[in-house]
Amino acid sequence: MTAVLEVESLTRNFGGLRAVDEVTFSLRRGTVLGLIGPNGAGKSTVVNLVTGHLAPTRGRVRVGGRDVTGAPPWKLVRAGVARTFQVVRPFEDLTVLDNVAVSAMYAAGFPARAARTTARRLLEQVGLATRAGDPAGQLGVADSRRLELARALATHPRVLVLDEILGGLAQREIAAGVDLLAALREQGIAILLVEHHMGAVRALCDRVIMLERGRPLTSGPPAEVLSDRRVVRAYLGARHPGTAP
Amino acid sequence: MPSPAVAGTGAATTAGAATPAPGTRPGARRWAAWAAYVVVIPVLLYLTPHVYNNQLLLLNLVVYLVLAQGVNVIYGFTGYLPFGYVGFFGAGAYGTSMAVIHLHTGGTVAVLIGAVVSTAMAVVLLPLLRLTGAYFALASLAASQAVYLVIANPSLTSFTKGPYGVDLSRVFNPNLAYLYAAILLAVATAVVVYLRNSAFGLSLRAVRADPLTASVAGINVARARGIAWLASAVLAGLAGGISAWVTSVFYPETVFAINISVFAIVFALFGGVGSVLGPVFGGIILYSLYEYIGVSSPQYFQFAYGLLIVILMLFLPGGLASVARAARSLWERTGGRVHRRA
Ligand SMILES: Nc1ncnc2c1ncn2[C@@H]1O[C@H](COP(=O)(O)OP(=O)(O)O)[C@@H](O)[C@H]1O
Ligand SMILES: [Mg+2]
């Protein structure tokens, strides 16, 4: 079976800084790939490169075998690559329901009424149904993350690219988040998981790539990568693993 | 791609906000209300000359109400403040004039040609939408004044009549023009009703709230903004054409006066951008005020209205419409039935 997302020799410079350096991976349906590394390692830049927010200096991005390198975000999301933001960015003055419905209309192509039905179902799924009529700007941190996820799901994605979606959440909320993501994986959605919480990485990922200064330092099954001496040292050197930014 | 299951859930019955959000399907009663706004106000204005015998003043008012709705479309739904909005008005006026003078058309066809000209200008200016905030406001103003300078250039006198102005008295027909103005106001209001209730209007509000998030929701941000920009330009172009037709004899500075932008913006802001009726009521109130108090010393009003724009943007960005909404929700909470938030 072919990969839904393939990334080949992805490289991105910012002036003299090489933020992402020769990153290659592929992601199959129903699998989770973890992307870890200290702050500034280039994880969010990889996210921006595979979702069309940045054009790579070099390298290719393919979705379902089709080359989408350099395509704008709205085209990528229509092709099936949805993302969440590390710092949540809801449409603050729109209702929670409309935040999700607009994705269903424009990314998944639903007419208005069907989009709202889908949006309600997704709000139920992420546990936000009771807030459907509230302005999204009123949500707290955890609920904002749920909304990010619902909005991404409403695009009807083949690939979910999640940038530290569990960051800043309490232990209980992280457990709920992990369950939710595991259920999505079971549905066949592929997930690129950028995450600092090692418990979540261990529980969800089939494979993990460790980035350091833009370069893949090591990759493999989570148990292997997380016990790698270089990984432990890189993490302890920069920050304590398991804490969120 | 597998097709997503569209399953109704129990949650479907829980969403019952007092006012439907944009993009929701309003009930039949609400549609009737929208239809009434679209039709009744223009009809009333159309009939007003029978009781208040100053058709020219009324036509100016209706033209300003159209411009205020045009500002509503572009500013209220995308957040772009078009200080150069008058450029489309002037382009429409001159497009209409050139059609009458050089193509020897009648008034109706000339006004339509004027709208084509203002739309063409909006297409050329589409790249301005890459600017944001004050940069956009200033750039649009500069663009409108550039068009003015070209038209007023004496070396183009054989085509535009340069600074000497145009004379359209050959096709003068104020009654027909007034009818068109009233129809145009209905169209402009209908456009706003559409934006308040359609998926496209919702996408514009999403773009306005956060263009980056809008792009990951699958919205082609540049396209959505561009459509709103062109729609507002068409309205201003038609308004300019009708205004020119009635004014009959005018000069470039008449139809490219920055005041026209200032008035349209302050009327829209005062009434409340993003709402259907706000710009109409805001325009009626402030234009009447200007006509009865300000005509003797217009320069004070130009200053006062410019200042009012700043004050409104800082302290009452939702205008009168937001005051009305707040009053109604207060009424519902105290007088009406108990209204509890989940
Ligand atoms: N738009 C940008 N312009 C310049 N430098 C950037 C930009 N985005 C990220 N960087 C730099 O690239 C490096 C990687 O950043 P980022 O991808 O955000 O890391 P991470 O998400 O792993 O913390 C950092 O040194 C950061 O300062
Ligand atoms: Mg990051």
Side-chain angles (χ1 to χ4, degrees):
Chain A
M1 196 184 158
T2 61
V4 285
L5 176 66
E6 287 167 285
V7 157
E8 196 185 297
S9 303
L10 209 55
T11 300
R12 170 71 201 209
N13 300 340
F14 292 117
L17 173 78
R18 179 155 294 185
V20 171
D21 192 359
E22 294 285 327
V23 171
T24 298
F25 61 80
S26 73
L27 190 53
R28 286 167 190 279
R29 195 174 179 279
T31 65
V32 181
L33 174 67
L35 192 57
I36 65 170
N39 273 343
K43 306 181 296 297
S44 291
T45 304
V46 170
V47 168
N48 287 333
L49 289 169
V50 301
T51 54
H53 293 270
L54 286 173
T57 305
R58 199 171 54 243
R60 321 274 354 147
V61 178
R62 273 185 287 273
V63 174
R66 198 158 62 88
D67 195 326
V68 294
T69 314
W74 61 272
K75 276 192 182 161
L76 269 158
V77 73
R78 290 180 187 185
V81 183
R83 74 167 292 175
T84 62
F85 290 102
Q86 183 173 352
V87 178
V88 295
R89 314 181 56 127
F91 305 121
E92 294 195 356
D93 53 351
L94 266 56
T95 63
V96 168
L97 183 71
D98 278 345
N99 264 265
V100 181
V102 77
S103 275
M105 290 173 199
Y106 279 84
F110 284 111
R113 185 185 293 222
R116 289 210 158 69
T117 310
T118 303
R120 287 202 185 84
R121 178 173 55 77
L122 291 169
L123 289 178
E124 193 104 319
Q125 189 177 350
V126 303
L128 265 185
T130 58
R131 306 295 304 268
D134 295 341
Q138 289 179 2
L139 296 183
V141 184
D143 282 346
S144 296
R145 294 291 165 75
R146 292 172 197 273
L147 177 57
E148 282 278 309
L149 187 60
R151 185 179 45 62
L153 288 173
T155 68
H156 192 225
R158 291 196 274 182
V159 186
L160 263 182
V161 183
L162 306 175
D163 197 354
E164 304 198 20
I165 194 160
L166 304 175
L169 298 188
Q171 199 56 48
R172 205 169 52 88
E173 294 158 348
I174 289 176
V178 168
D179 290 346
L180 200 54
L181 298 184
L184 295 175
R185 181 182 55 187
E186 293 313 307
Q187 284 178 24
I189 296 176
I191 299 177
L192 179 61
L193 184 72
V194 174
E195 197 43 73
H196 276 308
H197 191 279
M198 291 307 139
V201 170
R202 211 172 269 119
L204 287 167
C205 295
D206 301 285
R207 280 173 55 81
V208 177
I209 297 177
M210 158 80 184
L211 279 188
E212 194 183 40
R213 275 187 243 131
R215 246 178 252 137
L217 190 68
T218 170
S219 69
E224 223 169 81
V225 172
L226 296 186
S227 58
D228 189 302
R229 285 247 292 287
R230 292 169 298 176
V231 174
V232 175
R233 197 182 314 125
Y235 257 87
L236 287 178
R239 53 180 303 121
H240 186 66
T243 54
Chain B
M1 239 190 278
S3 106
V6 184
T9 68
T13 53
T14 61
T19 38
T24 52
R25 297 172 139 254
R29 214 195 283 157
R30 191 149 264 274
W31 274 122
W34 292 132
Y37 298 154
V38 168
V39 174
V40 171
I41 293 173
V43 168
L44 284 178
L45 283 164
Y46 181 66
L47 296 176
T48 308
H50 295 290
V51 287
Y52 175 73
N53 194 8
N54 190 342
Q55 196 182 44
L56 184 59
L57 185 148
L58 286 165
L59 187 127
N60 274 330
L61 168 65
V62 174
V63 161
Y64 268 120
L65 298 183
V66 171
L67 292 177
Q69 287 293 36
V71 167
N72 193 14
V73 168
I74 184 69
Y75 180 64
F77 288 86
T78 72
Y80 283 95
L81 187 62
F83 262 105
Y85 195 51
V86 64
F88 298 138
F89 181 86
Y94 263 87
T96 299
S97 305
M98 295 304 99
V100 169
I101 293 169
H102 298 297
L103 304 178
H104 312 290
T105 67
T108 307
V109 171
V111 167
L112 293 175
I113 290 175
V116 171
V117 171
S118 68
T119 308
M121 177 176 162
V123 169
V124 172
L125 294 181
L126 275 173
L128 290 188
L129 296 175
R130 292 192 202 143
L131 303 172
T132 54
Y135 298 104
F136 170 82
L138 289 175
S140 78
L141 184 59
S144 74
Q145 294 313 295
V147 174
Y148 160 68
L149 289 173
V150 168
I151 286 174
N153 189 334
S155 61
L156 287 178
T157 299
S158 62
F159 184 63
T160 66
K161 310 290 175 197
Y164 312 109
V166 296
D167 181 349
L168 308 182
S169 45
R170 181 178 67 78
V171 294
F172 189 61
N173 188 346
N175 289 331
L176 187 57
Y178 193 59
L179 173 66
Y180 286 173
I183 293 172
L184 182 58
L185 178 59
V187 170
T189 307
V191 168
V192 178
V193 167
Y194 170 74
L195 293 181
R196 289 273 307 178
N197 295 285
S198 63
F200 177 65
L202 180 62
S203 80
L204 285 182
R205 294 217 325 161
V207 169
R208 182 186 175 162
D210 192 328
L212 193 58
T213 307
S215 72
V216 305
I219 297 168
N220 183 344
V221 172
R223 180 172 174 271
R225 285 172 168 163
I227 290 172
W229 175 244
L230 295 182
S232 73
V234 171
L235 291 175
L238 289 168
I242 291 171
S243 185
W245 189 13
V246 170
T247 311
S248 210
V249 176
F250 62 89
Y251 304 92
E253 58 268 29
T254 322
V255 292
F256 283 96
I258 293 169
N259 262 330
I260 296 173
S261 286
V262 171
F263 276 32
I265 289 169
V266 78
F267 294 170
L269 272 172
F270 181 67
V273 289
S275 75
V276 172
L277 291 183
V280 173
F281 284 123
I284 290 174
I285 294 169
L286 293 187
Y287 190 75
S288 305
L289 215 59
Y290 170 74
E291 279 299 330
Y292 289 104
I293 309 172
V295 172
S296 54
S297 48
Q299 66 279 19
Y300 296 127
F301 257 77
Q302 289 154 18
F303 175 75
Y305 281 180
L307 194 65
L308 188 56
I309 291 179
V310 177
I311 293 171
L312 285 165
M313 291 186 85
L314 288 176
F315 301 109
L316 195 63
L320 289 183
S322 66
V323 176
R325 266 194 296 273
R328 189 174 58 192
S329 84
L330 191 69
W331 165 259
E332 276 172 8
R333 258 181 287 147
T334 54
R337 73 201 148 80
V338 181
H339 195 79
R340 233 190 102 239
R341 252 219 149 80

